[in-house]
Amino acid sequence: MQAESLVGKPVDNWFVQLESSEAGLTEEQVRSKLAKYGSNELHVHKSKNPVILLLKEFMELFPLLLLGAAVLSFFADAKSPGEGYNLIAYALLGVVVLNALVSFIQKFKTERIMMSFLEYIPEKTTVERNGQKMVIDAKDIVPGDIVFFAVGDKLPSDLIILKSSEVLADESILTGESEPVSKIEFANVNHEAIKSGILYSGSSILKGDGKGIVINTGKRTAFGRIQHLAEGVKEELTPIRLQLKDFVKKITFLALAIGIVFFVIGFFLENSFWTNLIFAIGIIVANVPEGLLPTVTLALTQASQKMARRNAIVKDILSVETLGSTTVICTDKTGTLTQNKLTVRKAFLNMKEHSTDDIPGLQNNAASRPFLEVCRLCTSANSVLDKGTYKYVGDPTEVAILEFANKVGNIDHHSFTGLKEKAFSSSDKYMSICYRTEGGTRYTLFKGATEVILNMCSQIHLNGDVVNLDAETRKRLTTVHEGYENNGLRVLGLAYLSTDDEGEVWETEQKHNLVFVGFIGMIDPPRPEVKEAVDKCKRAGIKIIVISGDKAETVTAIAKELDIVDKPVVVSGKELKEMTEDKLNKTLQNKEIIFARTAPEQKLRVVSALKEMGEVVAVTGDGVNDAPALKKADIGVAMGGSGTDVAKEASNIILLDDNFATIVAAVEEGRAVFDNIKKFITYILTSNIPEILPFLAFVVFSIPLPMTVIQILSIDLITDILPAIGLGNEPPENDVMNRHPRKSSDKLVTWKMFLRSYAFIGPLEALFSFILFFMILHGGGWHPGVEPEPVLYMTATGAFLVAIIFSQIGNVFAMRTQRESALRKFAVRNNWIFLGILFELAFAVAIINIPYLHGFFSTGALPLRIWGLMLIFPAVLLFVEELRKLLVRRGAAFLEL
């Protein structure tokens, strides 16, 4: 229901429109409304069936490519049994299943974390039905119900206030504004201030109590409408998904192209159709990097685990890399850049300004005693015992002032006897408490909006005396107040009056004769670690845009203090609403931008515009109002501590510490992941050439087959895996956060990478292997056209296999860097790589020297001189790569990967 239709109408008319009464709903009405409106629930996160989660792992492009290769291998085995194609098929199936299980386990853990977050609507609430108060399940609330609320309650639905006592509500969950909102009875509102008479679902009561009548439940609440807006945002493929999709297309095209070419060549060699087809299938399957899929998954999973140790939970492991490509971070202010805790920053008394760190200066100020007395005694906050220590509870503003007063000095409140209190109200904007001192004087303290307090003062406490407040001093005080507000501070004025008269000062003309004692300026301070994170973003070429629901002065002050901006373009929600798309695009091209007082759909509009401009956008948020933008962004980052369930559901990553600095650490990890994926893809692709060429030489030149299917699988799934995982775990290179974000057009796998693997290093590895293969065959008396003796043949194929293994050792060291010399990396420990190399060497020694393994792997014992030659191969390969990188550093960009 729209509350606007009730404005200005009698309360009785409200009940008529809402089909209710002062005594609440009847049981029959409740049943009817439940049937009409449904339960008061929002299914923020729908539990995912584990079976469906697992099955989805088999539907990605890369697993489908491997499954296709497995089908071809089974077909080839059926037509040509005994050639080992069935082993390739089973190996491919095993890789797909293993990868699916690893990825599924990671996502299932995240799913369990998401289910543990769901605490949006309170379980129980107090209502009046049939004239009786009762506690019911919040999901059973319907429009027309009369709901009671008090301090600490979270509102279960949207309601208009029937009766209340000085209510303050925290609506930051919906609006992103950290400042509490004063609420009044709906009967007193007009169309311009209608929101002040409404309490919204999900908001919390900080002060006061009362009751209201429910106008909307479930998806019809403000909370539900924003969630619906988020659900309507279409999720787009992340950059890494697009890159992997591009890679699969390239590797498929390459494999098919090579297979078709040699299928045709076979006819020129007068082979039969089926012989050519089986051979083409073998070529295609050999081009598929079986070990790449689990390596990518493990690399991303391990990066996710690293980020978890840094307080970032990754819901989708592919999101890890996306962060690394981020060009713009759209961040809110409260709780992300700031501590989400109001703190006193400035105190102005006796016409002097003090920072809150200047304790001696404050204590020695001539006006410190009355100033601190107002701070300590004129308050609505209370102290409670919590785990053996006292802490303050109540309105965040009151708590901040009390903590400040106790930090500066100890005021003996026991020497004051409380008489009467006037609570803060949105109409007069001040509070007051009257005490009796030990001397019998009535001591009345005032605190409130600065302009209100100043207008009530005719005197000022100056240099220990009470003197008249003249026009010049009043003007100076107004200037100070305006300066504080322009710097983003929330400012309150403090005053007092001592009299011997009975009666309350605020009820007499005496309230215009107060003694002004000072200002107190508060702010939600920046997190101390954010400034360094901002500097890292700037060096990394990442633009930061602050989008907040707070007022422009506060947002700008925080952004300037953190060095996010210097002279920004500040756009209000009202200005943004009136902007055309062209104007918005031009505005977003400014180097420094701040958006203040923005609505949820406006944040979504900004993110959409940035994406259309080609930016890779990361968005932070915690409120329901952030959910649409979080979902639209390339990477949505929700706050785990203060964040709502809707925000967490819409995001890709959840920060457990709600800290902007954690985002920057995650960006660094993401950049390293992208670099590392390029490294191990290039590394794995390299061995494809020495695996393919033996089959080509076998068919074209009628030589003995230099490599068996089992040997190919032993490289792809045994010896290459650990070093590739090691490359995936390489720490970020020193300059990773000094580079500008890569362009959206930059590919994960480039043709230059294919050229390095297929036309440079791969052929070099094949050359080394063929040299050893023919050395052993000729040394054993083999001649072309003659079938070699079995032991001699197995020794030669074993040498071919081990030559590839040794060459890949040089290759993995070369791939540890992209531009810099890899020689420096010898001093940088990478346990996965060194463990992988040790395993490769142990595997090579075992299959060559253990007779029991000779038959399965088609190997034989090698002479010592062959081992000596193999030791040269990795050194030669590393030298060639070092020469290429040197030329790249000297300007030969065409040689860069």
Side-chain angles (χ1 to χ4, degrees):
M1 180 180 183
Q2 296 297 318
E4 287 83 354
S5 64
L6 303 176
V7 176
K9 295 182 179 179
V11 175
D12 290 344
N13 189 273
W14 305 353
F15 288 122
V16 171
Q17 288 197 43
L18 289 164
E19 300 174 338
S20 184
S21 69
E22 291 188 17
L25 299 171
T26 64
E27 290 302 319
E28 185 178 343
Q29 285 177 310
V30 170
R31 285 194 295 271
S32 173
K33 286 173 178 280
L34 274 173
K36 181 178 181 180
Y37 298 107
S39 61
N40 180 41
E41 293 180 289
L42 283 177
H43 299 288
V44 175
H45 178 78
K46 296 176 183 176
S47 179
K48 295 172 184 173
N49 188 314
V51 176
I52 301 298
L53 273 178
L54 180 59
L55 290 177
K56 281 185 175 180
E57 296 300 327
F58 295 95
M59 303 310 294
E60 297 287 342
L61 270 176
F62 210 165
L64 288 175
L65 172 63
L66 295 186
L67 289 173
V71 170
L72 288 176
S73 298
F74 277 125
F75 177 78
D77 183 68
K79 289 295 181 181
S80 181
E83 298 293 329
Y85 286 108
N86 61 327
L87 293 174
I88 290 180
Y90 288 126
L92 289 169
L93 291 176
V95 166
V96 172
V97 171
L98 178 63
N99 175 79
L101 288 173
V102 171
S103 184
F104 165 74
I105 290 169
Q106 176 72 16
K107 289 180 180 177
F108 186 68
K109 286 179 181 178
T110 304
E111 172 70 9
R112 291 178 66 183
I113 291 171
M114 285 301 302
M115 292 305 297
S116 72
F117 279 136
L118 305 183
E119 298 173 352
Y120 150 59
I121 289 182
E123 293 183 2
K124 303 286 183 181
T125 194
T126 303
V127 300
E128 184 174 357
R129 288 179 177 174
N130 289 320
Q132 294 183 331
K133 268 190 177 184
M134 59 182 70
V135 177
I136 65 170
D137 288 337
K139 66 182 177 64
D140 294 330
I141 289 176
V142 292
D145 257 323
I146 293 175
V147 174
F148 293 85
F149 54 85
V151 173
D153 286 350
K154 185 180 281 188
L155 277 301
S157 58
D158 291 352
L159 52 90
I160 56 176
I161 302 171
L162 293 171
K163 293 182 180 179
S164 66
S165 172
E166 307 301 340
V167 173
L168 276 180
D170 177 5
E171 295 182 348
S172 59
I173 190 175
L174 292 164
T175 65
E177 296 185 35
S178 57
E179 193 170 318
V181 181
S182 179
K183 297 292 183 177
I184 60 176
E185 293 173 5
F186 193 77
N188 299 324
V189 305
N190 54 36
H191 282 284
E192 287 72 31
I194 188 172
K195 291 183 178 180
S196 62
I198 304 174
L199 287 170
Y200 294 100
S201 175
S203 57
S204 301
I205 303 300
L206 299 176
K207 179 184 175 183
D209 54 30
K211 67 177 182 178
I213 184 167
V214 175
I215 55 173
N216 289 308
T217 58
K219 289 186 177 181
R220 296 173 184 83
T221 62
F223 195 120
R225 289 194 297 273
I226 298 174
Q227 187 205 3
H228 180 70
L229 180 62
E231 289 175 346
V233 176
K234 183 181 178 182
E235 286 191 84
E236 299 173 5
L237 289 177
T238 60
I240 188 64
R241 285 186 186 276
L242 292 171
Q243 297 283 5
L244 288 173
K245 186 177 180 180
D246 176 72
F247 170 68
V248 171
K249 286 180 180 178
K250 284 178 178 175
I251 197 71
T252 303
F253 171 78
L254 192 63
L256 289 173
I258 295 174
I260 291 170
V261 166
F262 284 94
F263 176 75
V264 173
I265 289 175
F267 286 107
F268 288 102
L269 298 174
E270 299 182 353
N271 293 326
S272 69
F273 173 84
W274 288 112
T275 300
N276 290 338
L277 181 61
I278 299 303
F279 174 65
I281 290 173
I283 292 292
I284 292 169
V285 172
N287 264 285
V288 175
E290 297 93 342
L292 186 57
L293 181 59
T295 306
V296 170
T297 302
L298 284 170
L300 291 171
T301 299
Q302 288 173 326
S304 299
Q305 291 169 349
K306 288 179 188 176
M307 289 173 65
R309 290 193 290 270
R310 300 174 85 165
N311 292 314
I313 300 296
V314 180
K315 289 170 59 182
D316 179 358
I317 58 175
L318 291 176
S319 301
V320 177
E321 184 281 329
T322 307
L323 261 177
S325 61
T326 298
T327 59
V328 177
I329 297 177
C330 294
T331 178
D332 60 355
K333 175 188 69 70
T334 306
T336 310
L337 300 177
T338 66
Q339 299 174 28
N340 200 19
K341 183 180 185 297
L342 270 179
T343 303
V344 175
R345 175 166 284 187
K346 297 287 185 183
F348 189 86
L349 54 154
N350 204 38
M351 300 305 291
K352 294 177 182 176
E353 179 182 288
H354 297 274
S355 70
T356 50
D357 295 328
D358 182 19
I359 303 298
L362 282 163
Q363 290 172 338
N364 295 324
N365 190 296
S368 64
R369 183 166 184 81
F371 185 86
L372 293 175
E373 285 173 348
V374 178
C375 290
R376 178 67 181 84
L377 301 174
C378 188
T379 182
S380 61
N382 299 304
S383 61
V384 296
L385 189 63
D386 180 39
K387 298 179 181 178
T389 58
Y390 282 95
K391 71 173 187 178
Y392 295 110
V393 294
D395 179 354
T397 302
E398 300 290 314
V399 171
I401 295 173
L402 269 179
E403 289 177 345
F404 159 74
N406 286 340
K407 176 183 175 183
V408 176
N410 184 25
I411 299 298
D412 183 12
H413 61 280
H414 297 294
S415 60
F416 298 88
T417 304
L419 299 178
K420 195 170 182 180
E421 176 179 346
K422 178 206 168 296
F424 179 91
S425 72
S426 57
S427 56
D428 51 31
K429 297 184 179 179
Y430 73 89
M431 70 171 292
S432 181
I433 301 180
C434 181
Y435 291 91
R436 190 179 300 280
T437 66
E438 290 180 331
T441 303
R442 293 176 71 88
Y443 188 40
T444 309
L445 310 176
F446 290 79
K447 179 175 69 186
T450 304
E451 61 275 14
V452 172
I453 295 296
L454 268 176
N455 287 337
M456 294 167 68
C457 293
S458 63
Q459 308 170 83
I460 183 171
H461 195 105
L462 196 60
N463 298 322
D465 295 321
V466 175
V467 300
N468 287 332
L469 180 56
D470 57 43
E472 184 180 346
T473 304
R474 189 182 294 274
K475 185 177 179 181
R476 285 181 59 196
L477 290 172
T478 301
T479 302
V480 171
H481 163 236
E482 290 173 350
Y484 282 1
E485 287 205 327
N486 289 336
N487 285 322
L489 297 181
R490 186 182 182 202
V491 189
L492 293 179
L494 312 178
Y496 70 91
L497 188 64
S498 295
T499 67
D500 294 323
D501 300 335
E502 293 298 321
E504 310 312 329
V505 171
W506 57 80
E507 296 175 350
T508 69
E509 285 302 311
Q510 286 279 60
K511 71 178 181 181
H512 297 295
N513 196 34
L514 304 185
V515 180
F516 182 79
V517 69
F519 296 134
I520 192 161
M522 292 159 288
I523 198 167
D524 179 10
R527 290 176 177 268
E529 63 275 17
V530 170
K531 199 166 187 176
E532 182 183 349
V534 168
D535 180 60
K536 278 188 175 182
C537 281
K538 287 186 174 182
R539 285 190 279 111
I542 299 171
K543 183 176 182 178
I544 302 173
I545 299 176
V546 184
I547 307 177
S548 176
D550 270 354
K551 60 184 182 180
E553 294 83 358
T554 303
V555 183
T556 305
I558 292 294
K560 284 185 175 181
E561 187 171 344
L562 290 170
D563 290 338
I564 294 174
V565 297
D566 181 26
K567 296 178 179 178
V569 173
V570 181
V571 181
S572 68
K574 183 179 178 181
E575 291 169 330
L576 179 56
K577 186 177 181 180
E578 296 170 355
M579 276 187 182
T580 63
E581 293 305 314
D582 287 342
K583 176 68 173 174
L584 176 58
N585 290 342
K586 288 178 182 177
T587 301
L588 289 171
Q589 290 171 12
N590 285 286
K591 187 177 180 181
E592 298 179 347
I593 318 164
I594 285 175
F595 291 94
R597 296 294 194 197
T598 52
E601 60 275 12
Q602 291 178 320
K603 192 170 187 178
L604 174 61
R605 185 184 173 201
V606 170
V607 173
S608 300
L610 286 167
K611 291 190 69 175
E612 287 173 10
M613 292 167 64
E615 305 286 0
V616 178
V617 187
V619 173
T620 74
D622 55 3
V624 179
N625 61 314
D626 296 316
L630 285 169
K631 196 169 182 180
K632 179 67 176 177
D634 293 293
I635 189 84
V637 184
M639 305 298 117
S642 62
T644 62
D645 302 322
V646 176
K648 291 166 187 169
E649 173 64 12
S651 67
N652 307 97
I653 291 176
I654 300 168
L655 301 186
L656 297 181
D657 58 0
D658 295 7
N659 195 336
F660 183 84
T662 304
I663 302 170
V664 180
V667 169
E668 185 174 10
E669 193 65 47
R671 288 191 173 191
V673 165
F674 185 82
D675 286 351
N676 292 344
I677 290 176
K678 287 176 74 79
K679 290 173 185 176
F680 67 64
I681 285 178
T682 309
Y683 168 76
I684 287 175
L685 288 178
T686 301
S687 59
N688 276 6
I689 289 300
E691 291 172 359
I692 293 168
L693 290 181
F695 286 89
L696 300 182
F698 171 69
V699 172
V700 175
F701 301 112
S702 298
I703 65 170
L705 182 62
M707 198 172 195
T708 67
V709 170
I710 294 295
Q711 289 175 341
I712 289 174
L713 292 179
S714 67
I715 290 174
D716 290 351
L717 299 178
I718 298 177
T719 61
D720 271 0
I721 293 293
L722 284 179
I725 292 173
L727 288 173
N729 277 276
E730 276 288 287
E733 294 187 32
N734 293 332
D735 66 341
V736 72
M737 290 301 282
N738 293 331
R739 309 177 204 155
H740 279 261
R742 68 176 186 275
K743 297 176 183 177
S744 57
S745 58
D746 290 349
K747 299 296 184 182
L748 175 68
V749 181
T750 64
W751 289 113
K752 286 185 179 180
M753 290 168 60
F754 277 111
L755 285 173
R756 179 199 179 272
S757 299
Y758 281 51
F760 183 37
I761 301 300
L764 196 58
E765 288 189 4
L767 176 64
F768 295 154
S769 302
F770 274 116
I771 287 172
L772 291 188
F773 179 73
F774 286 116
M775 277 181 63
I776 290 174
L777 286 181
H778 283 289
W782 172 81
H783 297 287
V786 180
E787 193 73 24
E789 186 265 330
V791 173
L792 176 65
Y793 170 71
M794 290 168 65
T795 303
T797 58
F800 196 99
L801 169 63
V802 176
I804 296 174
I805 292 173
F806 270 70
S807 297
Q808 284 290 78
I809 291 174
N811 190 22
V812 75
F813 273 116
M815 287 312 306
R816 292 188 70 182
T817 61
Q818 296 190 63
R819 290 173 53 91
E820 299 300 317
S821 171
L823 299 178
R824 300 175 184 174
K825 282 284 188 175
F826 279 97
V828 180
R829 187 173 177 179
N830 184 321
N831 290 336
W832 280 99
I833 287 180
F834 285 104
L835 181 64
I837 290 171
L838 287 175
F839 178 77
E840 284 182 299
L841 293 173
F843 177 80
V845 170
I847 62 174
I848 295 299
N849 293 304
I850 299 176
Y852 180 76
L853 299 176
H854 288 175
F856 184 77
F857 288 102
S858 300
T859 56
L862 294 175
L864 194 60
R865 64 186 177 85
I866 297 296
W867 288 102
L869 281 173
M870 282 191 290
L871 291 175
I872 298 173
F873 297 161
V876 172
L877 193 147
L878 187 58
F879 170 78
V880 171
E881 267 291 276
E882 285 295 299
L883 181 61
R884 180 187 68 81
K885 292 175 190 176
L886 177 63
L887 293 174
V888 168
R889 293 195 298 274
R890 291 187 175 179
F894 67 95
L895 292 175
E896 188 171 2
L897 298 182

